[in-house]
Amino acid sequence: MENQEKYDTLISTISKYINLHTIPFQKDERGYVRIDERKNMYGGKGIVYMLQMFGEKELANNRIGAYMVLLNKGDESGFHTHGDRNEEEIYLVIHGSGEYRERNGMNQSIRKRILQKGNIAVINSYGYHSIENINDEPLIIFAITTNIK
């Protein structure tokens, strides 16, 4: 019951900023499919919540279509690559602001940018990226991870 209360609070908080409603083609309208809670995601700090909006194999050639929620200041998804899974990823910032970091390899120099509502960041299959919530409000990103054919 403890997780359910935590998830109810999460949904209540982010529902102030977005409407969690999906209209999949020729299927019943719905909300999210599941919530994945990732503590210290990719070596980052805090907790990242992934609100999966689609079921497995529901999106053609896509692995993920999810809201990525960094609820608290300092919550972070650490550096990771999508090359080992032959993917690219798009972040669309829906609410809040975060420090986005990218680099070509694990030991390369880091490029940093502040992302805010409406900004889009894309990582290719050979790059590494991370993001950290830098505000007191939730950082809400819609993440689309696409398989490269």
Side-chain angles (χ1 to χ4, degrees):
M1 189 63 173
E2 181 178 312
N3 272 348
Q4 188 58 50
E5 289 176 17
K6 180 176 15 175
Y7 295 159
D8 288 347
T9 301
L10 171 71
I11 297 303
S12 175
T13 299
I14 64 174
S15 291
K16 296 173 188 172
Y17 309 106
I18 61 174
N19 183 341
L20 292 170
H21 193 76
T22 303
I23 306 168
F25 181 67
Q26 295 188 343
K27 295 183 180 180
D28 292 336
E29 297 178 24
R30 62 164 190 255
Y32 60 91
V33 173
R34 73 176 191 276
I35 299 173
D36 297 331
E37 181 179 333
R38 299 188 181 168
K39 294 178 183 170
N40 307 113
M41 185 172 175
Y42 301 116
K45 299 172 287 213
I47 299 173
V48 176
Y49 296 96
M50 300 294 291
L51 279 69
Q52 303 294 339
M53 302 306 289
F54 299 94
E56 191 174 319
K57 298 183 182 179
E58 191 172 7
L59 295 175
N61 195 34
N62 287 306
R63 194 175 75 78
I64 292 177
Y67 284 105
M68 182 176 174
V69 180
L70 295 88
L71 199 55
N72 302 300
K73 185 176 185 177
D75 286 347
E76 169 187 45
S77 172
F79 272 105
H80 62 284
T81 184
H82 292 269
D84 55 350
R85 293 185 300 262
N86 205 30
E87 301 170 338
E88 292 183 338
E89 188 168 56
I90 301 166
Y91 284 173
L92 169 58
V93 178
I94 304 297
H95 180 79
S97 58
E99 183 176 83
Y100 180 77
R101 305 170 195 118
E102 64 181 21
R103 59 185 176 203
N104 285 333
M106 283 303 289
N107 299 316
Q108 300 297 316
S109 61
I110 298 171
R111 183 171 93 154
K112 298 177 182 181
R113 297 289 185 270
I114 301 301
L115 298 183
Q116 299 175 357
K117 182 178 179 176
N119 290 153
I120 298 171
V122 179
I123 193 73
N124 57 31
S125 62
Y126 60 85
Y128 289 76
H129 68 161
S130 73
I131 189 139
E132 179 179 350
N133 183 349
I134 59 171
N135 244 331
D136 291 326
E137 291 194 358
L139 174 57
I140 303 170
I141 298 167
F142 194 74
I144 302 168
T145 305
T146 304
N147 294 318
I148 301 170
K149 288 193 173 204

